[in-house]
Amino acid sequence: MSKTDALLVDVAALVESGRSNQMSLTVVTGGAVVTGRLAPEAVWRQRVSEVLADSAQLGEFSTIFTAGPRQEGPPTHLHFHVARILQGTVGIPETGGMYRLAIEDVSAWTVGDFSYSDH
């Protein structure tokens, strides 16, 4: 988007405030559709760090995600967990993943988590 959507920034700010982690969104970014639940950045970072720490090959990267608090000012990114990239009738990954998307790159969005079906 040429201009960041102020309403989307407000949604992200409310999630960041810790008052709710139940907000589900579906966004279009770079031609991809991502759907899932938003998490505060600190919670998202902690979960990513835990997953990496459990990996024999990627464990050394876990500390990057626990470093420092986020910068002051309005949120610049959406932090999805239990999220999927939708392609046709398939959600990737099936179990949900963790994605960080720049708010300025979102071209369309809606409240709610799109379902998918293989039927």
Side-chain angles (χ1 to χ4, degrees):
M1 295 178 81
S2 58
K3 188 173 183 184
T4 302
D5 186 323
L7 186 55
L8 186 55
V9 171
D10 288 346
V11 168
L14 190 57
V15 170
E16 284 299 322
S17 75
R19 295 185 4 212
S20 175
N21 66 351
Q22 299 300 308
M23 175 54 91
S24 293
L25 283 182
T26 299
V27 301
V28 178
T29 181
V33 177
V34 178
T35 189
R37 195 167 59 198
L38 294 177
E41 182 177 0
V43 171
W44 181 88
R45 283 176 170 268
Q46 181 62 39
R47 182 65 186 126
V48 171
S49 177
E50 290 168 1
V51 169
L52 292 172
D54 289 342
S55 169
Q57 294 84 18
L58 301 173
E60 64 187 283
F61 290 97
S62 68
T63 58
I64 294 170
F65 290 89
T66 58
R70 115 177 162 75
Q71 61 185 347
E72 293 299 316
T76 58
H77 289 78
L78 300 172
H79 296 88
F80 283 90
H81 67 122
V82 194
R84 296 169 312 282
I85 297 172
L86 299 182
Q87 183 173 356
T89 60
V90 178
I92 306 166
E94 200 170 290
T95 57
M98 298 173 282
Y99 301 102
R100 175 181 162 104
L101 305 173
I103 293 173
E104 69 182 4
D105 293 339
V106 173
S107 59
W109 63 278
T110 188
V111 172
D113 185 352
F114 280 174
S115 296
Y116 59 92
S117 171
D118 59 359
H119 301 290

